[in-house]
Amino acid sequence: MLGTMLAALFTRPWARRIIGAALAALTAVLFLFNLRRAGERAGRAAERFETLKAVTHAQRQMLEEAARRPRSRDDLLDRPRDGEF
């Protein structure tokens, strides 16, 4: 019963135009939603990149400071004698 009613509806030219327009509108709406979601994903990726860059910079500073620290007590005592801190 339902199949015959749908078949009769799809045979009419005006119904096919309405269904085609509705499908085109649905496609456009889904495309816009997908664009918004892709933009959100790109924003989160950029934020993660900036955070990673800041963390890497802090780690690099800590490693540089660790490389300059005195290795032994004698090195620690030699620094003030040489005028270096």
Side-chain angles (χ1 to χ4, degrees), residues 32-51:
L32 291 175
F33 281 139
N34 188 34
L35 278 180
R36 186 182 68 113
R37 194 176 315 148
E40 290 172 356
R41 268 188 258 131
R44 284 193 300 269
E47 184 179 343
R48 277 194 307 266
F49 177 72
E50 291 297 323
T51 303

Side-chain angles (χ1 to χ4, degrees), residues 30-68:
L30 290 176
F31 178 73
L32 291 175
F33 281 139
N34 188 34
L35 278 180
R36 186 182 68 113
R37 194 176 315 148
E40 290 172 356
R41 268 188 258 131
R44 284 193 300 269
E47 184 179 343
R48 277 194 307 266
F49 177 72
E50 291 297 323
T51 303
L52 180 65
K53 199 163 60 168
V55 167
T56 304
H57 179 68
Q59 286 176 342
R60 185 176 300 123
Q61 283 181 333
M62 287 188 285
L63 287 172
E64 289 171 359
E65 291 298 321
R68 291 188 344 203

Side-chain angles (χ1 to χ4, degrees), residues 16-31:
R16 279 186 290 196
R17 271 189 249 127
I18 290 175
I19 291 170
L23 287 176
L26 179 65
T27 302
V29 167
L30 290 176
F31 178 73

